[in-house]
Amino acid sequence: MRTLATHVARVTGLRVTVRREFLLHHAAKKLDVVASAVAATRVTDVTRPLAPSGAPPVPLVLFERRLLETPERRVPGVLYDGILVQVIYRSVLPPEETTLRVAHIAFTSRLPGTFDDADRRYHARACILGHPALVSTSGIVEAPAKPRGFYAAKRGLRIDSADVRYEALKERYAGRFVDYDDPRLTQIAKGYVLQALFYQMTGEPFCEDPDCVLFNAHWQEELIHAQVESGLLCAAHRKVAEALRRRGRATAR
Ligand SMILES: [Zn+2]
């Protein structure tokens, strides 16, 4: 987090404060309410937009409650409606911080998704832009697609991620996609944080240049290229960042 904060401050000139996990910071006194709300955002059918369905089952709420207390834990295989999760996060912000002069970037290990009307299904996301912006560590791993051959091989073997052969398959593509606990995650997160900040400050989070850290990567290989191999803003966005630094009055948290 420190590395990220220093990087963001250097690039944008913003004053950056690192806090503990967002919901623990803002909602420690109402974790039961938040747990219930978060449990209700679990996507049960990826082909249908989530509809309100009454109070979620108690075991799920208890599970979410435990997770809120230990936010570093991962929930493998569970997708949450990212827009609804964002609404919950926004609802716990104090009024004085509910302003576009403060940018909030909340890290989560939950996997958020958004429903795409074009193909009528949810897609996992690494980042939900907005106020606050959510950056998901699971999303960085799960959202951009792995190399094409990887999926073909997986289908050919007829295996799922619980199969031991899945590990061997991952080994074969090692380095070409980001995995959990990957040492490159911090470097990659820098790019998503900048996209979130550019969105809030300029309305334009992405760049067409595949060498720019604002490139909206749909493939893991594009992501690794933009964030790790390049790791820089393009010339045009460096100018924008410079202008932001000069303006430098906003605050990021
Ligand atoms: Zn750019």
Side-chain angles (χ1 to χ4, degrees):
M1 280 302 152
R2 283 278 152 223
T3 321
L4 275 172
T6 311
H7 179 75
V8 165
R10 204 177 56 226
V11 174
T12 60
L14 295 173
R15 194 152 49 83
V16 185
T17 313
V18 177
R19 292 169 161 175
R20 61 181 182 157
E21 195 276 331
F22 188 93
L23 293 172
L24 284 179
H25 180 90
H26 290 291
K29 294 208 176 74
K30 41 182 171 179
L31 288 185
D32 287 326
V33 181
V34 174
S36 176
V38 171
T41 66
R42 285 174 161 235
V43 174
T44 43
D45 177 355
V46 294
T47 65
R48 252 179 256 183
L50 195 61
S53 59
V58 172
L60 270 192
V61 177
L62 293 175
F63 175 87
E64 293 296 343
R65 164 83 215 221
R66 275 197 303 276
L67 201 61
L68 288 171
E69 287 164 348
T70 48
E72 60 287 351
R73 272 180 50 203
R74 277 204 305 264
V75 217
V78 182
L79 189 68
Y80 297 82
D81 185 303
I83 303 300
L84 295 178
V85 169
Q86 189 177 46
V87 170
I88 298 168
Y89 275 58
R90 189 157 54 234
S91 74
V92 300
L93 276 176
E96 66 276 15
E97 292 189 21
T98 312
T99 154
L100 290 179
R101 293 182 57 78
V102 184
H104 294 273
I105 318 272
F107 281 85
T108 176
S109 58
R110 287 187 181 80
L111 180 63
T114 52
F115 191 81
D116 187 343
D117 274 320
D119 63 359
R120 304 292 303 159
R121 54 169 292 147
Y122 274 93
H123 293 274
R125 300 283 175 210
C127 181
I128 306 285
L129 298 167
H131 199 259
L134 307 182
V135 175
S136 163
T137 45
S138 304
I140 293 174
V141 174
E142 304 288 349
K146 294 182 175 62
R148 262 178 233 280
F150 180 90
Y151 296 106
K154 188 178 163 206
R155 271 195 305 276
L157 290 167
R158 294 202 177 84
I159 51 171
D160 62 24
S161 53
D163 196 296
V164 286
R165 284 171 298 171
Y166 188 69
E167 287 305 314
L169 179 61
K170 286 207 302 196
E171 202 82 341
R172 220 192 307 155
Y173 287 86
R176 293 173 62 195
F177 62 85
V178 182
D179 208 348
Y180 290 100
D181 304 316
D182 199 300
R184 297 170 294 185
L185 273 171
T186 305
Q187 176 66 24
I188 290 168
K190 288 179 187 171
Y192 284 109
V193 169
L194 286 180
Q195 288 172 13
L197 290 173
F198 268 73
Y199 178 65
Q200 180 154 337
M201 296 191 291
T202 70
E204 186 41 78
F206 302 129
C207 178
E208 298 284 304
D209 183 345
D211 295 335
C212 178
V213 292
L214 301 184
F215 184 73
N216 186 14
H218 290 94
W219 294 88
Q220 288 279 337
E221 286 172 307
E222 293 173 337
L223 181 69
I224 292 167
H225 176 74
Q227 306 302 341
V228 182
E229 291 161 9
S230 165
L232 298 167
L233 289 167
C234 66
H237 279 109
R238 274 203 295 278
K239 282 210 187 88
V240 178
E242 202 186 304
L244 291 172
R245 280 199 300 275
R246 274 202 301 271
R247 213 176 64 185
R249 266 168 295 153
T251 307
R253 289 204 168 102

mmCIF file with all atom_site columns, all heavy atoms in Angstrom, residues 39-54:
data_model
loop_
_atom_site.group_PDB
_atom_site.id
_atom_site.type_symbol
_atom_site.label_atom_id
_atom_site.label_alt_id
_atom_site.label_comp_id
_atom_site.label_asym_id
_atom_site.label_entity_id
_atom_site.label_seq_id
_atom_site.pdbx_PDB_ins_code
_atom_site.Cartn_x
_atom_site.Cartn_y
_atom_site.Cartn_z
_atom_site.occupancy
_atom_site.B_iso_or_equiv
_atom_site.pdbx_formal_charge
_atom_site.auth_seq_id
_atom_site.auth_comp_id
_atom_site.auth_asym_id
_atom_site.auth_atom_id
_atom_site.pdbx_PDB_model_num
ATOM 1   N N   . ALA A 1 39 ? -24.003 -9.678  1.439   1.00 0.00 ? 39 ALA A N   1
ATOM 2   C CA  . ALA A 1 39 ? -24.481 -11.036 1.122   1.00 0.00 ? 39 ALA A CA  1
ATOM 3   C C   . ALA A 1 39 ? -25.561 -10.986 0.040   1.00 0.00 ? 39 ALA A C   1
ATOM 4   O O   . ALA A 1 39 ? -25.678 -11.895 -0.790  1.00 0.00 ? 39 ALA A O   1
ATOM 5   C CB  . ALA A 1 39 ? -25.001 -11.725 2.380   1.00 0.00 ? 39 ALA A CB  1
ATOM 6   N N   . ALA A 1 40 ? -26.337 -9.901  0.036   1.00 0.00 ? 40 ALA A N   1
ATOM 7   C CA  . ALA A 1 40 ? -27.420 -9.767  -0.945  1.00 0.00 ? 40 ALA A CA  1
ATOM 8   C C   . ALA A 1 40 ? -26.912 -9.400  -2.341  1.00 0.00 ? 40 ALA A C   1
ATOM 9   O O   . ALA A 1 40 ? -27.684 -9.367  -3.295  1.00 0.00 ? 40 ALA A O   1
ATOM 10  C CB  . ALA A 1 40 ? -28.420 -8.714  -0.459  1.00 0.00 ? 40 ALA A CB  1
ATOM 11  N N   . THR A 1 41 ? -25.604 -9.113  -2.459  1.00 0.00 ? 41 THR A N   1
ATOM 12  C CA  . THR A 1 41 ? -25.082 -8.735  -3.778  1.00 0.00 ? 41 THR A CA  1
ATOM 13  C C   . THR A 1 41 ? -24.396 -9.904  -4.481  1.00 0.00 ? 41 THR A C   1
ATOM 14  O O   . THR A 1 41 ? -23.784 -9.726  -5.532  1.00 0.00 ? 41 THR A O   1
ATOM 15  C CB  . THR A 1 41 ? -24.060 -7.584  -3.681  1.00 0.00 ? 41 THR A CB  1
ATOM 16  O OG1 . THR A 1 41 ? -22.899 -8.053  -2.983  1.00 0.00 ? 41 THR A OG1 1
ATOM 17  C CG2 . THR A 1 41 ? -24.627 -6.379  -2.962  1.00 0.00 ? 41 THR A CG2 1
ATOM 18  N N   . ARG A 1 42 ? -24.465 -11.098 -3.861  1.00 0.00 ? 42 ARG A N   1
ATOM 19  C CA  . ARG A 1 42 ? -23.849 -12.275 -4.500  1.00 0.00 ? 42 ARG A CA  1
ATOM 20  C C   . ARG A 1 42 ? -24.626 -12.651 -5.765  1.00 0.00 ? 42 ARG A C   1
ATOM 21  O O   . ARG A 1 42 ? -25.856 -12.759 -5.726  1.00 0.00 ? 42 ARG A O   1
ATOM 22  C CB  . ARG A 1 42 ? -23.901 -13.476 -3.557  1.00 0.00 ? 42 ARG A CB  1
ATOM 23  C CG  . ARG A 1 42 ? -22.908 -13.397 -2.448  1.00 0.00 ? 42 ARG A CG  1
ATOM 24  C CD  . ARG A 1 42 ? -23.152 -14.558 -1.506  1.00 0.00 ? 42 ARG A CD  1
ATOM 25  N NE  . ARG A 1 42 ? -21.965 -14.771 -0.691  1.00 0.00 ? 42 ARG A NE  1
ATOM 26  C CZ  . ARG A 1 42 ? -21.313 -15.915 -0.597  1.00 0.00 ? 42 ARG A CZ  1
ATOM 27  N NH1 . ARG A 1 42 ? -21.741 -16.981 -1.241  1.00 0.00 ? 42 ARG A NH1 1
ATOM 28  N NH2 . ARG A 1 42 ? -20.243 -16.022 0.160   1.00 0.00 ? 42 ARG A NH2 1
ATOM 29  N N   . VAL A 1 43 ? -23.902 -12.860 -6.818  1.00 0.00 ? 43 VAL A N   1
ATOM 30  C CA  . VAL A 1 43 ? -24.532 -13.241 -8.082  1.00 0.00 ? 43 VAL A CA  1
ATOM 31  C C   . VAL A 1 43 ? -24.726 -14.753 -8.075  1.00 0.00 ? 43 VAL A C   1
ATOM 32  O O   . VAL A 1 43 ? -23.774 -15.516 -7.920  1.00 0.00 ? 43 VAL A O   1
ATOM 33  C CB  . VAL A 1 43 ? -23.644 -12.812 -9.269  1.00 0.00 ? 43 VAL A CB  1
ATOM 34  C CG1 . VAL A 1 43 ? -24.210 -13.329 -10.584 1.00 0.00 ? 43 VAL A CG1 1
ATOM 35  C CG2 . VAL A 1 43 ? -23.493 -11.299 -9.296  1.00 0.00 ? 43 VAL A CG2 1
ATOM 36  N N   . THR A 1 44 ? -25.980 -15.183 -8.214  1.00 0.00 ? 44 THR A N   1
ATOM 37  C CA  . THR A 1 44 ? -26.243 -16.626 -8.170  1.00 0.00 ? 44 THR A CA  1
ATOM 38  C C   . THR A 1 44 ? -26.408 -17.190 -9.584  1.00 0.00 ? 44 THR A C   1
ATOM 39  O O   . THR A 1 44 ? -26.221 -18.367 -9.809  1.00 0.00 ? 44 THR A O   1
ATOM 40  C CB  . THR A 1 44 ? -27.520 -16.912 -7.354  1.00 0.00 ? 44 THR A CB  1
ATOM 41  O OG1 . THR A 1 44 ? -28.515 -15.960 -7.726  1.00 0.00 ? 44 THR A OG1 1
ATOM 42  C CG2 . THR A 1 44 ? -27.231 -16.784 -5.871  1.00 0.00 ? 44 THR A CG2 1
ATOM 43  N N   . ASP A 1 45 ? -26.773 -16.318 -10.530 1.00 0.00 ? 45 ASP A N   1
ATOM 44  C CA  . ASP A 1 45 ? -26.939 -16.763 -11.904 1.00 0.00 ? 45 ASP A CA  1
ATOM 45  C C   . ASP A 1 45 ? -26.298 -15.712 -12.810 1.00 0.00 ? 45 ASP A C   1
ATOM 46  O O   . ASP A 1 45 ? -26.793 -14.583 -12.893 1.00 0.00 ? 45 ASP A O   1
ATOM 47  C CB  . ASP A 1 45 ? -28.449 -16.895 -12.202 1.00 0.00 ? 45 ASP A CB  1
ATOM 48  C CG  . ASP A 1 45 ? -28.725 -17.301 -13.651 1.00 0.00 ? 45 ASP A CG  1
ATOM 49  O OD1 . ASP A 1 45 ? -27.763 -17.395 -14.454 1.00 0.00 ? 45 ASP A OD1 1
ATOM 50  O OD2 . ASP A 1 45 ? -29.906 -17.527 -13.979 1.00 0.00 ? 45 ASP A OD2 1
ATOM 51  N N   . VAL A 1 46 ? -25.177 -16.077 -13.455 1.00 0.00 ? 46 VAL A N   1
ATOM 52  C CA  . VAL A 1 46 ? -24.439 -15.070 -14.230 1.00 0.00 ? 46 VAL A CA  1
ATOM 53  C C   . VAL A 1 46 ? -25.182 -14.619 -15.482 1.00 0.00 ? 46 VAL A C   1
ATOM 54  O O   . VAL A 1 46 ? -24.783 -13.651 -16.126 1.00 0.00 ? 46 VAL A O   1
ATOM 55  C CB  . VAL A 1 46 ? -23.021 -15.552 -14.645 1.00 0.00 ? 46 VAL A CB  1
ATOM 56  C CG1 . VAL A 1 46 ? -22.126 -15.736 -13.431 1.00 0.00 ? 46 VAL A CG1 1
ATOM 57  C CG2 . VAL A 1 46 ? -23.069 -16.799 -15.494 1.00 0.00 ? 46 VAL A CG2 1
ATOM 58  N N   . THR A 1 47 ? -26.280 -15.290 -15.827 1.00 0.00 ? 47 THR A N   1
ATOM 59  C CA  . THR A 1 47 ? -26.997 -14.901 -17.043 1.00 0.00 ? 47 THR A CA  1
ATOM 60  C C   . THR A 1 47 ? -28.179 -13.970 -16.746 1.00 0.00 ? 47 THR A C   1
ATOM 61  O O   . THR A 1 47 ? -28.943 -13.642 -17.642 1.00 0.00 ? 47 THR A O   1
ATOM 62  C CB  . THR A 1 47 ? -27.541 -16.137 -17.800 1.00 0.00 ? 47 THR A CB  1
ATOM 63  O OG1 . THR A 1 47 ? -28.528 -16.773 -16.978 1.00 0.00 ? 47 THR A OG1 1
ATOM 64  C CG2 . THR A 1 47 ? -26.434 -17.127 -18.110 1.00 0.00 ? 47 THR A CG2 1
ATOM 65  N N   . ARG A 1 48 ? -28.319 -13.594 -15.467 1.00 0.00 ? 48 ARG A N   1
ATOM 66  C CA  . ARG A 1 48 ? -29.434 -12.716 -15.111 1.00 0.00 ? 48 ARG A CA  1
ATOM 67  C C   . ARG A 1 48 ? -28.972 -11.587 -14.206 1.00 0.00 ? 48 ARG A C   1
ATOM 68  O O   . ARG A 1 48 ? -28.240 -11.849 -13.237 1.00 0.00 ? 48 ARG A O   1
ATOM 69  C CB  . ARG A 1 48 ? -30.488 -13.527 -14.344 1.00 0.00 ? 48 ARG A CB  1
ATOM 70  C CG  . ARG A 1 48 ? -31.730 -13.760 -15.173 1.00 0.00 ? 48 ARG A CG  1
ATOM 71  C CD  . ARG A 1 48 ? -32.703 -14.571 -14.413 1.00 0.00 ? 48 ARG A CD  1
ATOM 72  N NE  . ARG A 1 48 ? -32.710 -15.936 -14.899 1.00 0.00 ? 48 ARG A NE  1
ATOM 73  C CZ  . ARG A 1 48 ? -33.531 -16.863 -14.447 1.00 0.00 ? 48 ARG A CZ  1
ATOM 74  N NH1 . ARG A 1 48 ? -34.347 -16.596 -13.468 1.00 0.00 ? 48 ARG A NH1 1
ATOM 75  N NH2 . ARG A 1 48 ? -33.513 -18.070 -14.966 1.00 0.00 ? 48 ARG A NH2 1
ATOM 76  N N   . PRO A 1 49 ? -29.400 -10.327 -14.493 1.00 0.00 ? 49 PRO A N   1
ATOM 77  C CA  . PRO A 1 49 ? -29.039 -9.252  -13.570 1.00 0.00 ? 49 PRO A CA  1
ATOM 78  C C   . PRO A 1 49 ? -29.645 -9.530  -12.198 1.00 0.00 ? 49 PRO A C   1
ATOM 79  O O   . PRO A 1 49 ? -30.787 -9.997  -12.118 1.00 0.00 ? 49 PRO A O   1
ATOM 80  C CB  . PRO A 1 49 ? -29.661 -8.001  -14.193 1.00 0.00 ? 49 PRO A CB  1
ATOM 81  C CG  . PRO A 1 49 ? -30.300 -8.413  -15.470 1.00 0.00 ? 49 PRO A CG  1
ATOM 82  C CD  . PRO A 1 49 ? -30.269 -9.896  -15.586 1.00 0.00 ? 49 PRO A CD  1
ATOM 83  N N   . LEU A 1 50 ? -28.880 -9.277  -11.176 1.00 0.00 ? 50 LEU A N   1
ATOM 84  C CA  . LEU A 1 50 ? -29.327 -9.578  -9.808  1.00 0.00 ? 50 LEU A CA  1
ATOM 85  C C   . LEU A 1 50 ? -30.573 -8.768  -9.466  1.00 0.00 ? 50 LEU A C   1
ATOM 86  O O   . LEU A 1 50 ? -30.616 -7.563  -9.667  1.00 0.00 ? 50 LEU A O   1
ATOM 87  C CB  . LEU A 1 50 ? -28.189 -9.241  -8.844  1.00 0.00 ? 50 LEU A CB  1
ATOM 88  C CG  . LEU A 1 50 ? -28.281 -9.793  -7.439  1.00 0.00 ? 50 LEU A CG  1
ATOM 89  C CD1 . LEU A 1 50 ? -28.298 -11.320 -7.463  1.00 0.00 ? 50 LEU A CD1 1
ATOM 90  C CD2 . LEU A 1 50 ? -27.133 -9.287  -6.600  1.00 0.00 ? 50 LEU A CD2 1
ATOM 91  N N   . ALA A 1 51 ? -31.594 -9.453  -8.961  1.00 0.00 ? 51 ALA A N   1
ATOM 92  C CA  . ALA A 1 51 ? -32.815 -8.773  -8.556  1.00 0.00 ? 51 ALA A CA  1
ATOM 93  C C   . ALA A 1 51 ? -32.959 -8.904  -7.042  1.00 0.00 ? 51 ALA A C   1
ATOM 94  O O   . ALA A 1 51 ? -32.515 -9.891  -6.472  1.00 0.00 ? 51 ALA A O   1
ATOM 95  C CB  . ALA A 1 51 ? -34.019 -9.412  -9.251  1.00 0.00 ? 51 ALA A CB  1
ATOM 96  N N   . PRO A 1 52 ? -33.566 -7.887  -6.405  1.00 0.00 ? 52 PRO A N   1
ATOM 97  C CA  . PRO A 1 52 ? -33.733 -7.973  -4.952  1.00 0.00 ? 52 PRO A CA  1
ATOM 98  C C   . PRO A 1 52 ? -34.538 -9.219  -4.593  1.00 0.00 ? 52 PRO A C   1
ATOM 99  O O   . PRO A 1 52 ? -35.540 -9.523  -5.234  1.00 0.00 ? 52 PRO A O   1
ATOM 100 C CB  . PRO A 1 52 ? -34.521 -6.699  -4.595  1.00 0.00 ? 52 PRO A CB  1
ATOM 101 C CG  . PRO A 1 52 ? -34.531 -5.868  -5.822  1.00 0.00 ? 52 PRO A CG  1
ATOM 102 C CD  . PRO A 1 52 ? -34.188 -6.722  -6.989  1.00 0.00 ? 52 PRO A CD  1
ATOM 103 N N   . SER A 1 53 ? -34.077 -9.980  -3.602  1.00 0.00 ? 53 SER A N   1
ATOM 104 C CA  . SER A 1 53 ? -34.794 -11.218 -3.268  1.00 0.00 ? 53 SER A CA  1
ATOM 105 C C   . SER A 1 53 ? -34.927 -11.402 -1.764  1.00 0.00 ? 53 SER A C   1
ATOM 106 O O   . SER A 1 53 ? -34.743 -12.489 -1.241  1.00 0.00 ? 53 SER A O   1
ATOM 107 C CB  . SER A 1 53 ? -34.080 -12.416 -3.890  1.00 0.00 ? 53 SER A CB  1
ATOM 108 O OG  . SER A 1 53 ? -32.755 -12.465 -3.399  1.00 0.00 ? 53 SER A OG  1
ATOM 109 N N   . GLY A 1 54 ? -35.213 -10.311 -1.067  1.00 0.00 ? 54 GLY A N   1
ATOM 110 C CA  . GLY A 1 54 ? -35.444 -10.423 0.368   1.00 0.00 ? 54 GLY A CA  1
ATOM 111 C C   . GLY A 1 54 ? -34.155 -10.604 1.151   1.00 0.00 ? 54 GLY A C   1
ATOM 112 O O   . GLY A 1 54 ? -33.069 -10.486 0.602   1.00 0.00 ? 54 GLY A O   1
#
